[in-house]
Structure formats: C-alpha cells, structure tokens
Amino acid sequence: MTTYLYINGRFLTQPMTGVERYAYNICKAMAALHQSFTIVCPKAPVHQDYDVSDLNIVHYGIGNSHFWEQCVLPFFFIGKKKYLVVSFTGLGSILIGHKMMTIHDLAFLKNPSWYSRTYYWYYRLMTPLAVKTSQHILTVSEFSKSEILRFYPFLKGEKISVVYNAIDRQLFRPLNSELVKGDLQSPGSERFVLCVSSIDPRKNFARLIEACQGLTDAKLYIVGKNNREFSQQKELDTTSEHIHFLGKVSDNELVRLYNQAACFVFPSLYEGFGLPPLEAMACGCPVLVSDIPVEHEVCGDAAIYFNPLESNDILHTIKQYLNNADVIREKMRQKGYENIMRFSWEKSAEVLMKIISDNRK
C-alpha cells in the first residue's frame, strides 16, 4: 500500500511573504514534476496571491489559525493508515506523528527581544514538541541546519535535510529600458539604493537609516511592511529627505525597483536564508550584504560584504560601491547571474521528493 503525501495548506489562506512563497513554489514545482499530493487547506478562501489551478486542494474543518493546524487538521487523518504530512511554513500539528516539518530559522531563540512575547513563548514551547514528533526536519540552508543542531542537540544530523529556497526567474529578470521606466510607487527617478525586507528588528533598519543619513548623492528606498509578530521598535528616524519608505509593493513594481536601483543593500543581523539578495541578482542589481555566515552561503563571491553592526562600515561600503560603480557594476551583475543558477525550485523539488521517498519506506 502506497504512503500518500499530504501538504499542510494553512499557508494558502495567508498573504504571500517569505515562508509562504517557499511553500507555494515548492508545491508548484512538485506538481510540475508530476508528484502526486493533496493540499489540506482550511475552509477559509485561498488568498488572491496564489494561483492554485494546477494544485489538488481539499478544504477541511473550521478556522484557519494555529488552532486549525494543531487541533482541527489531525481529525482529517483519522482512519488513514499510510500517509505523510509535510508542513513547509513551520510547526505543523504535534498530534500528527507521520509528518515532516520545516524550520526556516531559529531567530526567536537567537534573540528573543526581536519578537513579541506571545510569538516567542508559543514557538519556544511548541518547536521542540514538533521536532520530537516529526519523522524528519527540513530547513533552507546549511547555516540553519547548524543552528537547529546547536539549539536542539538531541537531534541527529541525518534527521535534518536542506532544501534551498529559490526564485522565480521568469518574474525576477532584467527589464528592457521601456519597462524600467514604467510607473512606480516611488518618489521619483533619482539615483537610489534599495532595501527590501519586512520591517522588524533583526533586519537592522535603524543602523541602515543611520548610515544613509550620510548619503549625499543617492537616496534610500525601503520596501517592506511591519509584522505584528515582531516586537515593537522605537520610531525609526526617517527625517532625512534622502530616505523613503515605500511600504509593500506588487511583484511587478518590485522587479522594476530592482532594475532601477544603483545597488541593493541587505543589512540583516540574522537569516535562515534571505531571498531578496537573489531576487536583486536575478534583476542585474549589484548586491551589498551583511558579513554573516548564511549570506556567504547564499551569495558567495557575487556580493560585497559589510559589518552590519557598524553604521560607518555600512555607509563606507555603499559609498565605495557608488563611487566605483562604473568600473565594477558589470562584473557584479555577471557574478550575480552565475550565482543564482545554483538555486531553482525544480532542483529543490527534486531534492525534496528524494527525502520524501526515503521517509515513506
């Protein structure tokens, strides 16, 4: 009797941010490779961000919160004997034993002050329970795997597998000059440095903004929105006319911004992977990132690195690039194009399908 694959589909009722994008694209890639599976989704409507026309979806139960995931979803599997449930965006139900879960990062353990108390204590208590009741753990980088082993030493390395993030190279791509000139949710057409991220403490916006107060020949555009799961930050100083918050923008607007930017800067203090640098590279935008282990794993020699704890170094690195852009921009663009070829959703889906096959035995 074949073990049938189910996906925890709670993510489809939520807007598409980082972890939801991972879940969605992995599912789309598996479907394209003719992997048979069913997504079990709450009865709440599928969010407009997702095209699910080629996905097999079953709606079940009431609600679409953590309660649905922990207490309602397990009832779907009563009477089913041969099944495996995969959760791509987090814990999954601790009441389901035949499951795999995904840990994108352990930032809440690295620095609890970055998160709200409710979020911190929920994941602090529930994550080890979910880990202990899972057949296998997925994560998105070798760095995150090392963090999981550090924080949960009872786990063995062979129980954790890395399935990388990737990007949609049909969406994130260089645009011709006419498309780049299209309408933007931006103040103008001046030279600018771009940053894309959720607005939360570990993304290090305070230091980036402090650094960019010293920019005189370029502006800073920040794309992103606040998330209630993160702890409240002090008001960011945005009094400078050189700094503009654009909020959340559409994917097409984001692609245009990547294409227009003089460079992309990513000052994060901690990541499990970090997709925006790859999105920028795919659009031909030179990338400046934090000198942290995971960014070396993801960006390799296709980025310029700076110390994220030093505002002066962030400013110096940006200025150094802008002053030498005519000389190094094309070389960085080419290195970026080469680097993104290491990551694709098809490759990740193939790796995942091998892991699933091994766990069905």
Side-chain angles (χ1 to χ4, degrees), residues 115-150:
Y115 294 85
S116 67
R117 285 188 178 182
T118 301
Y119 182 97
Y120 168 73
W121 281 109
Y122 179 79
Y123 282 92
R124 172 71 184 268
L125 296 172
M126 294 293 287
T127 302
L129 293 175
V131 166
K132 289 177 180 178
T133 56
S134 294
Q135 290 180 205
H136 202 78
I137 311 297
L138 304 174
T139 193
V140 292
S141 65
E142 293 294 340
F143 170 75
S144 278
K145 179 176 178 177
S146 70
E147 289 286 271
I148 295 166
L149 291 170
R150 181 164 73 92

PDB file of all heavy atoms in Angstrom, residues 115-150:
ATOM      1  N   TYR A 115      11.122  39.598  19.032  1.00  0.00           N
ATOM      2  CA  TYR A 115       9.761  39.113  18.819  1.00  0.00           C
ATOM      3  C   TYR A 115       8.830  39.514  19.962  1.00  0.00           C
ATOM      4  O   TYR A 115       9.275  39.796  21.071  1.00  0.00           O
ATOM      5  CB  TYR A 115       9.761  37.582  18.674  1.00  0.00           C
ATOM      6  CG  TYR A 115      10.466  37.125  17.429  1.00  0.00           C
ATOM      7  CD1 TYR A 115      11.849  36.948  17.402  1.00  0.00           C
ATOM      8  CD2 TYR A 115       9.759  36.926  16.249  1.00  0.00           C
ATOM      9  CE1 TYR A 115      12.506  36.576  16.242  1.00  0.00           C
ATOM     10  CE2 TYR A 115      10.403  36.545  15.084  1.00  0.00           C
ATOM     11  CZ  TYR A 115      11.773  36.372  15.078  1.00  0.00           C
ATOM     12  OH  TYR A 115      12.416  36.010  13.937  1.00  0.00           O
ATOM     13  N   SER A 116       7.532  39.481  19.668  1.00  0.00           N
ATOM     14  CA  SER A 116       6.548  39.698  20.717  1.00  0.00           C
ATOM     15  C   SER A 116       6.614  38.544  21.714  1.00  0.00           C
ATOM     16  O   SER A 116       7.036  37.432  21.368  1.00  0.00           O
ATOM     17  CB  SER A 116       5.144  39.778  20.118  1.00  0.00           C
ATOM     18  OG  SER A 116       4.761  38.509  19.591  1.00  0.00           O
ATOM     19  N   ARG A 117       6.196  38.785  22.932  1.00  0.00           N
ATOM     20  CA  ARG A 117       6.229  37.730  23.957  1.00  0.00           C
ATOM     21  C   ARG A 117       5.369  36.542  23.555  1.00  0.00           C
ATOM     22  O   ARG A 117       5.749  35.388  23.754  1.00  0.00           O
ATOM     23  CB  ARG A 117       5.737  38.285  25.294  1.00  0.00           C
ATOM     24  CG  ARG A 117       6.746  39.170  26.006  1.00  0.00           C
ATOM     25  CD  ARG A 117       6.245  39.510  27.390  1.00  0.00           C
ATOM     26  NE  ARG A 117       7.214  40.314  28.119  1.00  0.00           N
ATOM     27  CZ  ARG A 117       7.041  40.719  29.362  1.00  0.00           C
ATOM     28  NH1 ARG A 117       5.922  40.408  30.017  1.00  0.00           N
ATOM     29  NH2 ARG A 117       7.961  41.444  29.961  1.00  0.00           N
ATOM     30  N   THR A 118       4.197  36.818  22.999  1.00  0.00           N
ATOM     31  CA  THR A 118       3.290  35.740  22.603  1.00  0.00           C
ATOM     32  C   THR A 118       3.950  34.840  21.567  1.00  0.00           C
ATOM     33  O   THR A 118       3.923  33.605  21.682  1.00  0.00           O
ATOM     34  CB  THR A 118       1.986  36.315  22.025  1.00  0.00           C
ATOM     35  OG1 THR A 118       1.371  37.130  23.019  1.00  0.00           O
ATOM     36  CG2 THR A 118       1.033  35.202  21.617  1.00  0.00           C
ATOM     37  N   TYR A 119       4.530  35.471  20.547  1.00  0.00           N
ATOM     38  CA  TYR A 119       5.195  34.701  19.495  1.00  0.00           C
ATOM     39  C   TYR A 119       6.354  33.916  20.087  1.00  0.00           C
ATOM     40  O   TYR A 119       6.503  32.715  19.824  1.00  0.00           O
ATOM     41  CB  TYR A 119       5.699  35.649  18.408  1.00  0.00           C
ATOM     42  CG  TYR A 119       6.368  34.941  17.241  1.00  0.00           C
ATOM     43  CD1 TYR A 119       5.650  34.656  16.086  1.00  0.00           C
ATOM     44  CD2 TYR A 119       7.717  34.569  17.282  1.00  0.00           C
ATOM     45  CE1 TYR A 119       6.250  34.016  15.006  1.00  0.00           C
ATOM     46  CE2 TYR A 119       8.316  33.931  16.215  1.00  0.00           C
ATOM     47  CZ  TYR A 119       7.585  33.653  15.083  1.00  0.00           C
ATOM     48  OH  TYR A 119       8.184  33.005  14.031  1.00  0.00           O
ATOM     49  N   TYR A 120       7.181  34.540  20.873  1.00  0.00           N
ATOM     50  CA  TYR A 120       8.359  33.877  21.420  1.00  0.00           C
ATOM     51  C   TYR A 120       7.980  32.656  22.248  1.00  0.00           C
ATOM     52  O   TYR A 120       8.532  31.561  22.050  1.00  0.00           O
ATOM     53  CB  TYR A 120       9.170  34.855  22.286  1.00  0.00           C
ATOM     54  CG  TYR A 120      10.234  34.161  23.105  1.00  0.00           C
ATOM     55  CD1 TYR A 120      11.377  33.658  22.500  1.00  0.00           C
ATOM     56  CD2 TYR A 120      10.075  33.965  24.488  1.00  0.00           C
ATOM     57  CE1 TYR A 120      12.350  32.986  23.238  1.00  0.00           C
ATOM     58  CE2 TYR A 120      11.043  33.310  25.228  1.00  0.00           C
ATOM     59  CZ  TYR A 120      12.171  32.823  24.604  1.00  0.00           C
ATOM     60  OH  TYR A 120      13.119  32.150  25.339  1.00  0.00           O
ATOM     61  N   TRP A 121       7.042  32.813  23.179  1.00  0.00           N
ATOM     62  CA  TRP A 121       6.711  31.702  24.071  1.00  0.00           C
ATOM     63  C   TRP A 121       5.978  30.577  23.342  1.00  0.00           C
ATOM     64  O   TRP A 121       6.173  29.401  23.652  1.00  0.00           O
ATOM     65  CB  TRP A 121       5.913  32.189  25.277  1.00  0.00           C
ATOM     66  CG  TRP A 121       6.812  32.826  26.291  1.00  0.00           C
ATOM     67  CD1 TRP A 121       6.913  34.138  26.617  1.00  0.00           C
ATOM     68  CD2 TRP A 121       7.796  32.141  27.087  1.00  0.00           C
ATOM     69  NE1 TRP A 121       7.881  34.335  27.562  1.00  0.00           N
ATOM     70  CE2 TRP A 121       8.443  33.132  27.881  1.00  0.00           C
ATOM     71  CE3 TRP A 121       8.199  30.814  27.219  1.00  0.00           C
ATOM     72  CZ2 TRP A 121       9.455  32.801  28.776  1.00  0.00           C
ATOM     73  CZ3 TRP A 121       9.208  30.494  28.105  1.00  0.00           C
ATOM     74  CH2 TRP A 121       9.817  31.474  28.879  1.00  0.00           C
ATOM     75  N   TYR A 122       5.155  30.920  22.358  1.00  0.00           N
ATOM     76  CA  TYR A 122       4.476  29.877  21.592  1.00  0.00           C
ATOM     77  C   TYR A 122       5.503  28.989  20.895  1.00  0.00           C
ATOM     78  O   TYR A 122       5.459  27.746  21.006  1.00  0.00           O
ATOM     79  CB  TYR A 122       3.524  30.498  20.567  1.00  0.00           C
ATOM     80  CG  TYR A 122       2.816  29.464  19.721  1.00  0.00           C
ATOM     81  CD1 TYR A 122       1.719  28.772  20.208  1.00  0.00           C
ATOM     82  CD2 TYR A 122       3.264  29.170  18.427  1.00  0.00           C
ATOM     83  CE1 TYR A 122       1.068  27.813  19.438  1.00  0.00           C
ATOM     84  CE2 TYR A 122       2.624  28.212  17.657  1.00  0.00           C
ATOM     85  CZ  TYR A 122       1.531  27.534  18.164  1.00  0.00           C
ATOM     86  OH  TYR A 122       0.900  26.581  17.407  1.00  0.00           O
ATOM     87  N   TYR A 123       6.451  29.629  20.185  1.00  0.00           N
ATOM     88  CA  TYR A 123       7.431  28.836  19.441  1.00  0.00           C
ATOM     89  C   TYR A 123       8.491  28.234  20.358  1.00  0.00           C
ATOM     90  O   TYR A 123       9.017  27.150  20.066  1.00  0.00           O
ATOM     91  CB  TYR A 123       8.052  29.674  18.327  1.00  0.00           C
ATOM     92  CG  TYR A 123       7.123  29.779  17.150  1.00  0.00           C
ATOM     93  CD1 TYR A 123       6.227  30.837  17.033  1.00  0.00           C
ATOM     94  CD2 TYR A 123       7.093  28.792  16.173  1.00  0.00           C
ATOM     95  CE1 TYR A 123       5.347  30.910  15.965  1.00  0.00           C
ATOM     96  CE2 TYR A 123       6.220  28.854  15.106  1.00  0.00           C
ATOM     97  CZ  TYR A 123       5.347  29.916  15.010  1.00  0.00           C
ATOM     98  OH  TYR A 123       4.467  29.970  13.960  1.00  0.00           O
ATOM     99  N   ARG A 124       8.786  28.895  21.446  1.00  0.00           N
ATOM    100  CA  ARG A 124       9.749  28.334  22.397  1.00  0.00           C
ATOM    101  C   ARG A 124       9.225  27.014  22.974  1.00  0.00           C
ATOM    102  O   ARG A 124       9.983  26.052  23.155  1.00  0.00           O
ATOM    103  CB  ARG A 124       9.983  29.348  23.532  1.00  0.00           C
ATOM    104  CG  ARG A 124      10.813  28.839  24.712  1.00  0.00           C
ATOM    105  CD  ARG A 124      12.271  28.657  24.336  1.00  0.00           C
ATOM    106  NE  ARG A 124      13.053  28.092  25.431  1.00  0.00           N
ATOM    107  CZ  ARG A 124      13.709  28.815  26.331  1.00  0.00           C
ATOM    108  NH1 ARG A 124      13.662  30.149  26.278  1.00  0.00           N
ATOM    109  NH2 ARG A 124      14.407  28.237  27.277  1.00  0.00           N
ATOM    110  N   LEU A 125       7.922  26.938  23.263  1.00  0.00           N
ATOM    111  CA  LEU A 125       7.335  25.737  23.840  1.00  0.00           C
ATOM    112  C   LEU A 125       6.985  24.690  22.793  1.00  0.00           C
ATOM    113  O   LEU A 125       7.178  23.488  23.004  1.00  0.00           O
ATOM    114  CB  LEU A 125       6.081  26.110  24.642  1.00  0.00           C
ATOM    115  CG  LEU A 125       6.302  27.005  25.864  1.00  0.00           C
ATOM    116  CD1 LEU A 125       4.974  27.460  26.434  1.00  0.00           C
ATOM    117  CD2 LEU A 125       7.110  26.271  26.931  1.00  0.00           C
ATOM    118  N   MET A 126       6.478  25.151  21.633  1.00  0.00           N
ATOM    119  CA  MET A 126       5.932  24.218  20.650  1.00  0.00           C
ATOM    120  C   MET A 126       6.987  23.625  19.718  1.00  0.00           C
ATOM    121  O   MET A 126       6.838  22.483  19.271  1.00  0.00           O
ATOM    122  CB  MET A 126       4.852  24.913  19.821  1.00  0.00           C
ATOM    123  CG  MET A 126       3.616  25.305  20.615  1.00  0.00           C
ATOM    124  SD  MET A 126       2.690  23.872  21.196  1.00  0.00           S
ATOM    125  CE  MET A 126       1.974  23.304  19.665  1.00  0.00           C
ATOM    126  N   THR A 127       8.044  24.370  19.424  1.00  0.00           N
ATOM    127  CA  THR A 127       9.016  23.866  18.442  1.00  0.00           C
ATOM    128  C   THR A 127       9.677  22.559  18.869  1.00  0.00           C
ATOM    129  O   THR A 127       9.728  21.611  18.075  1.00  0.00           O
ATOM    130  CB  THR A 127      10.079  24.934  18.121  1.00  0.00           C
ATOM    131  OG1 THR A 127       9.433  26.109  17.620  1.00  0.00           O
ATOM    132  CG2 THR A 127      11.062  24.418  17.077  1.00  0.00           C
ATOM    133  N   PRO A 128      10.192  22.444  20.101  1.00  0.00           N
ATOM    134  CA  PRO A 128      10.796  21.146  20.466  1.00  0.00           C
ATOM    135  C   PRO A 128       9.797  20.003  20.448  1.00  0.00           C
ATOM    136  O   PRO A 128      10.158  18.867  20.115  1.00  0.00           O
ATOM    137  CB  PRO A 128      11.360  21.386  21.869  1.00  0.00           C
ATOM    138  CG  PRO A 128      10.724  22.627  22.361  1.00  0.00           C
ATOM    139  CD  PRO A 128      10.378  23.448  21.161  1.00  0.00           C
ATOM    140  N   LEU A 129       8.526  20.275  20.780  1.00  0.00           N
ATOM    141  CA  LEU A 129       7.500  19.229  20.714  1.00  0.00           C
ATOM    142  C   LEU A 129       7.267  18.804  19.266  1.00  0.00           C
ATOM    143  O   LEU A 129       7.148  17.608  18.965  1.00  0.00           O
ATOM    144  CB  LEU A 129       6.188  19.729  21.327  1.00  0.00           C
ATOM    145  CG  LEU A 129       6.197  19.997  22.835  1.00  0.00           C
ATOM    146  CD1 LEU A 129       4.869  20.602  23.269  1.00  0.00           C
ATOM    147  CD2 LEU A 129       6.454  18.698  23.599  1.00  0.00           C
ATOM    148  N   ALA A 130       7.206  19.776  18.373  1.00  0.00           N
ATOM    149  CA  ALA A 130       7.022  19.459  16.951  1.00  0.00           C
ATOM    150  C   ALA A 130       8.225  18.703  16.401  1.00  0.00           C
ATOM    151  O   ALA A 130       8.076  17.755  15.618  1.00  0.00           O
ATOM    152  CB  ALA A 130       6.795  20.751  16.165  1.00  0.00           C
ATOM    153  N   VAL A 131       9.414  19.109  16.800  1.00  0.00           N
ATOM    154  CA  VAL A 131      10.638  18.433  16.356  1.00  0.00           C
ATOM    155  C   VAL A 131      10.634  16.971  16.803  1.00  0.00           C
ATOM    156  O   VAL A 131      10.931  16.053  16.018  1.00  0.00           O
ATOM    157  CB  VAL A 131      11.880  19.170  16.893  1.00  0.00           C
ATOM    158  CG1 VAL A 131      13.124  18.312  16.749  1.00  0.00           C
ATOM    159  CG2 VAL A 131      12.064  20.502  16.165  1.00  0.00           C
ATOM    160  N   LYS A 132      10.303  16.734  18.065  1.00  0.00           N
ATOM    161  CA  LYS A 132      10.341  15.374  18.616  1.00  0.00           C
ATOM    162  C   LYS A 132       9.280  14.463  18.013  1.00  0.00           C
ATOM    163  O   LYS A 132       9.448  13.238  18.007  1.00  0.00           O
ATOM    164  CB  LYS A 132      10.184  15.427  20.134  1.00  0.00           C
ATOM    165  CG  LYS A 132      11.410  15.994  20.853  1.00  0.00           C
ATOM    166  CD  LYS A 132      11.187  16.095  22.349  1.00  0.00           C
ATOM    167  CE  LYS A 132      12.415  16.653  23.054  1.00  0.00           C
ATOM    168  NZ  LYS A 132      12.218  16.817  24.511  1.00  0.00           N
ATOM    169  N   THR A 133       8.186  15.041  17.509  1.00  0.00           N
ATOM    170  CA  THR A 133       7.117  14.216  16.937  1.00  0.00           C
ATOM    171  C   THR A 133       7.181  14.147  15.417  1.00  0.00           C
ATOM    172  O   THR A 133       6.268  13.622  14.780  1.00  0.00           O
ATOM    173  CB  THR A 133       5.732  14.758  17.369  1.00  0.00           C
ATOM    174  OG1 THR A 133       5.611  16.142  16.997  1.00  0.00           O
ATOM    175  CG2 THR A 133       5.544  14.632  18.870  1.00  0.00           C
ATOM    176  N   SER A 134       8.244  14.671  14.815  1.00  0.00           N
ATOM    177  CA  SER A 134       8.403  14.647  13.349  1.00  0.00           C
ATOM    178  C   SER A 134       9.341  13.516  12.928  1.00  0.00           C
ATOM    179  O   SER A 134      10.327  13.231  13.601  1.00  0.00           O
ATOM    180  CB  SER A 134       8.964  15.984  12.848  1.00  0.00           C
ATOM    181  OG  SER A 134       8.046  17.031  13.058  1.00  0.00           O
ATOM    182  N   GLN A 135       9.033  12.920  11.795  1.00  0.00           N
ATOM    183  CA  GLN A 135       9.922  11.898  11.239  1.00  0.00           C
ATOM    184  C   GLN A 135      11.201  12.512  10.696  1.00  0.00           C
ATOM    185  O   GLN A 135      12.269  11.894  10.739  1.00  0.00           O
ATOM    186  CB  GLN A 135       9.208  11.150  10.105  1.00  0.00           C
ATOM    187  CG  GLN A 135       8.084  10.249  10.552  1.00  0.00           C
ATOM    188  CD  GLN A 135       7.425   9.539   9.382  1.00  0.00           C
ATOM    189  OE1 GLN A 135       6.280   9.151   9.459  1.00  0.00           O
ATOM    190  NE2 GLN A 135       8.155   9.371   8.288  1.00  0.00           N
ATOM    191  N   HIS A 136      11.071  13.736  10.175  1.00  0.00           N
ATOM    192  CA  HIS A 136      12.218  14.370   9.531  1.00  0.00           C
ATOM    193  C   HIS A 136      12.020  15.881   9.587  1.00  0.00           C
ATOM    194  O   HIS A 136      10.894  16.377   9.633  1.00  0.00           O
ATOM    195  CB  HIS A 136      12.339  13.911   8.077  1.00  0.00           C
ATOM    196  CG  HIS A 136      13.706  14.075   7.499  1.00  0.00           C
ATOM    197  ND1 HIS A 136      14.747  13.205   7.771  1.00  0.00           N
ATOM    198  CD2 HIS A 136      14.221  15.021   6.662  1.00  0.00           C
ATOM    199  CE1 HIS A 136      15.830  13.604   7.134  1.00  0.00           C
ATOM    200  NE2 HIS A 136      15.534  14.710   6.456  1.00  0.00           N
ATOM    201  N   ILE A 137      13.151  16.621   9.577  1.00  0.00           N
ATOM    202  CA  ILE A 137      13.129  18.070   9.626  1.00  0.00           C
ATOM    203  C   ILE A 137      13.704  18.619   8.328  1.00  0.00           C
ATOM    204  O   ILE A 137      14.782  18.191   7.883  1.00  0.00           O
ATOM    205  CB  ILE A 137      13.967  18.620  10.809  1.00  0.00           C
ATOM    206  CG1 ILE A 137      13.610  17.903  12.111  1.00  0.00           C
ATOM    207  CG2 ILE A 137      13.804  20.138  10.932  1.00  0.00           C
ATOM    208  CD1 ILE A 137      12.196  18.073  12.572  1.00  0.00           C
ATOM    209  N   LEU A 138      13.000  19.560   7.720  1.00  0.00           N
ATOM    210  CA  LEU A 138      13.509  20.280   6.565  1.00  0.00           C
ATOM    211  C   LEU A 138      13.987  21.659   7.009  1.00  0.00           C
ATOM    212  O   LEU A 138      13.418  22.254   7.921  1.00  0.00           O
ATOM    213  CB  LEU A 138      12.415  20.455   5.507  1.00  0.00           C
ATOM    214  CG  LEU A 138      11.728  19.187   5.012  1.00  0.00           C
ATOM    215  CD1 LEU A 138      10.567  19.549   4.089  1.00  0.00           C
ATOM    216  CD2 LEU A 138      12.721  18.270   4.294  1.00  0.00           C
ATOM    217  N   THR A 139      15.015  22.163   6.357  1.00  0.00           N
ATOM    218  CA  THR A 139      15.439  23.535   6.581  1.00  0.00           C
ATOM    219  C   THR A 139      15.998  24.087   5.277  1.00  0.00           C
ATOM    220  O   THR A 139      16.099  23.358   4.276  1.00  0.00           O
ATOM    221  CB  THR A 139      16.437  23.643   7.745  1.00  0.00           C
ATOM    222  OG1 THR A 139      16.580  25.019   8.114  1.00  0.00           O
ATOM    223  CG2 THR A 139      17.789  23.060   7.382  1.00  0.00           C
ATOM    224  N   VAL A 140      16.352  25.388   5.272  1.00  0.00           N
ATOM    225  CA  VAL A 140      16.604  26.061   3.998  1.00  0.00           C
ATOM    226  C   VAL A 140      18.071  26.419   3.746  1.00  0.00           C
ATOM    227  O   VAL A 140      18.386  27.002   2.706  1.00  0.00           O
ATOM    228  CB  VAL A 140      15.732  27.337   3.895  1.00  0.00           C
ATOM    229  CG1 VAL A 140      14.264  26.962   3.786  1.00  0.00           C
ATOM    230  CG2 VAL A 140      15.969  28.272   5.087  1.00  0.00           C
ATOM    231  N   SER A 141      18.963  26.091   4.677  1.00  0.00           N
ATOM    232  CA  SER A 141      20.389  26.367   4.463  1.00  0.00           C
ATOM    233  C   SER A 141      21.215  25.496   5.396  1.00  0.00           C
ATOM    234  O   SER A 141      20.715  25.007   6.423  1.00  0.00           O
ATOM    235  CB  SER A 141      20.705  27.849   4.716  1.00  0.00           C
ATOM    236  OG  SER A 141      20.483  28.195   6.078  1.00  0.00           O
ATOM    237  N   GLU A 142      22.468  25.321   5.055  1.00  0.00           N
ATOM    238  CA  GLU A 142      23.378  24.597   5.950  1.00  0.00           C
ATOM    239  C   GLU A 142      23.555  25.372   7.254  1.00  0.00           C
ATOM    240  O   GLU A 142      23.731  24.776   8.318  1.00  0.00           O
ATOM    241  CB  GLU A 142      24.734  24.383   5.264  1.00  0.00           C
ATOM    242  CG  GLU A 142      24.701  23.458   4.067  1.00  0.00           C
ATOM    243  CD  GLU A 142      24.344  22.019   4.430  1.00  0.00           C
ATOM    244  OE1 GLU A 142      24.494  21.640   5.619  1.00  0.00           O
ATOM    245  OE2 GLU A 142      23.924  21.273   3.528  1.00  0.00           O
ATOM    246  N   PHE A 143      23.513  26.702   7.161  1.00  0.00           N
ATOM    247  CA  PHE A 143      23.606  27.517   8.377  1.00  0.00           C
ATOM    248  C   PHE A 143      22.443  27.210   9.314  1.00  0.00           C
ATOM    249  O   PHE A 143      22.642  27.002  10.517  1.00  0.00           O
ATOM    250  CB  PHE A 143      23.617  29.011   8.031  1.00  0.00           C
ATOM    251  CG  PHE A 143      23.465  29.883   9.246  1.00  0.00           C
ATOM    252  CD1 PHE A 143      24.523  30.066  10.125  1.00  0.00           C
ATOM    253  CD2 PHE A 143      22.261  30.517   9.522  1.00  0.00           C
ATOM    254  CE1 PHE A 143      24.382  30.851  11.261  1.00  0.00           C
ATOM    255  CE2 PHE A 143      22.107  31.302  10.649  1.00  0.00           C
ATOM    256  CZ  PHE A 143      23.179  31.473  11.521  1.00  0.00           C
ATOM    257  N   SER A 144      21.224  27.178   8.786  1.00  0.00           N
ATOM    258  CA  SER A 144      20.067  26.880   9.630  1.00  0.00           C
ATOM    259  C   SER A 144      20.146  25.474  10.201  1.00  0.00           C
ATOM    260  O   SER A 144      19.752  25.235  11.343  1.00  0.00           O
ATOM    261  CB  SER A 144      18.762  27.058   8.841  1.00  0.00           C
ATOM    262  OG  SER A 144      18.385  28.414   8.814  1.00  0.00           O
ATOM    263  N   LYS A 145      20.661  24.539   9.421  1.00  0.00           N
ATOM    264  CA  LYS A 145      20.836  23.177   9.936  1.00  0.00           C
ATOM    265  C   LYS A 145      21.778  23.191  11.137  1.00  0.00           C
ATOM    266  O   LYS A 145      21.507  22.536  12.161  1.00  0.00           O
ATOM    267  CB  LYS A 145      21.385  22.266   8.837  1.00  0.00           C
ATOM    268  CG  LYS A 145      21.607  20.830   9.312  1.00  0.00           C
ATOM    269  CD  LYS A 145      22.050  19.927   8.165  1.00  0.00           C
ATOM    270  CE  LYS A 145      22.313  18.506   8.655  1.00  0.00           C
ATOM    271  NZ  LYS A 145      22.672  17.588   7.540  1.00  0.00           N
ATOM    272  N   SER A 146      22.876  23.945  11.038  1.00  0.00           N
ATOM    273  CA  SER A 146      23.818  24.008  12.164  1.00  0.00           C
ATOM    274  C   SER A 146      23.176  24.658  13.386  1.00  0.00           C
ATOM    275  O   SER A 146      23.452  24.269  14.526  1.00  0.00           O
ATOM    276  CB  SER A 146      25.079  24.773  11.752  1.00  0.00           C
ATOM    277  OG  SER A 146      24.817  26.159  11.565  1.00  0.00           O
ATOM    278  N   GLU A 147      22.302  25.628  13.161  1.00  0.00           N
ATOM    279  CA  GLU A 147      21.598  26.281  14.268  1.00  0.00           C
ATOM    280  C   GLU A 147      20.615  25.321  14.937  1.00  0.00           C
ATOM    281  O   GLU A 147      20.481  25.299  16.170  1.00  0.00           O
ATOM    282  CB  GLU A 147      20.849  27.516  13.766  1.00  0.00           C
ATOM    283  CG  GLU A 147      21.730  28.675  13.376  1.00  0.00           C
ATOM    284  CD  GLU A 147      22.320  29.373  14.592  1.00  0.00           C
ATOM    285  OE1 GLU A 147      21.702  30.303  15.125  1.00  0.00           O
ATOM    286  OE2 GLU A 147      23.421  28.966  15.019  1.00  0.00           O
ATOM    287  N   ILE A 148      19.924  24.525  14.138  1.00  0.00           N
ATOM    288  CA  ILE A 148      18.978  23.548  14.700  1.00  0.00           C
ATOM    289  C   ILE A 148      19.721  22.551  15.582  1.00  0.00           C
ATOM    290  O   ILE A 148      19.278  22.223  16.691  1.00  0.00           O
ATOM    291  CB  ILE A 148      18.218  22.825  13.570  1.00  0.00           C
ATOM    292  CG1 ILE A 148      17.335  23.814  12.807  1.00  0.00           C
ATOM    293  CG2 ILE A 148      17.359  21.687  14.135  1.00  0.00           C
ATOM    294  CD1 ILE A 148      16.806  23.279  11.490  1.00  0.00           C
ATOM    295  N   LEU A 149      20.855  22.080  15.093  1.00  0.00           N
ATOM    296  CA  LEU A 149      21.646  21.125  15.877  1.00  0.00           C
ATOM    297  C   LEU A 149      22.213  21.775  17.143  1.00  0.00           C
ATOM    298  O   LEU A 149      22.372  21.114  18.170  1.00  0.00           O
ATOM    299  CB  LEU A 149      22.772  20.561  15.026  1.00  0.00           C
ATOM    300  CG  LEU A 149      22.330  19.643  13.883  1.00  0.00           C
ATOM    301  CD1 LEU A 149      23.491  19.323  12.960  1.00  0.00           C
ATOM    302  CD2 LEU A 149      21.715  18.354  14.441  1.00  0.00           C
ATOM    303  N   ARG A 150      22.494  23.067  17.077  1.00  0.00           N
ATOM    304  CA  ARG A 150      23.031  23.771  18.246  1.00  0.00           C
ATOM    305  C   ARG A 150      21.965  23.958  19.316  1.00  0.00           C
ATOM    306  O   ARG A 150      22.220  23.736  20.497  1.00  0.00           O
ATOM    307  CB  ARG A 150      23.591  25.132  17.815  1.00  0.00           C
ATOM    308  CG  ARG A 150      24.193  25.954  18.959  1.00  0.00           C
ATOM    309  CD  ARG A 150      25.047  27.066  18.414  1.00  0.00           C
ATOM    310  NE  ARG A 150      24.276  28.137  17.829  1.00  0.00           N
ATOM    311  CZ  ARG A 150      23.863  29.226  18.512  1.00  0.00           C
ATOM    312  NH1 ARG A 150      24.143  29.337  19.800  1.00  0.00           N
ATOM    313  NH2 ARG A 150      23.202  30.180  17.899  1.00  0.00           N
TER     314      ARG A 150
END
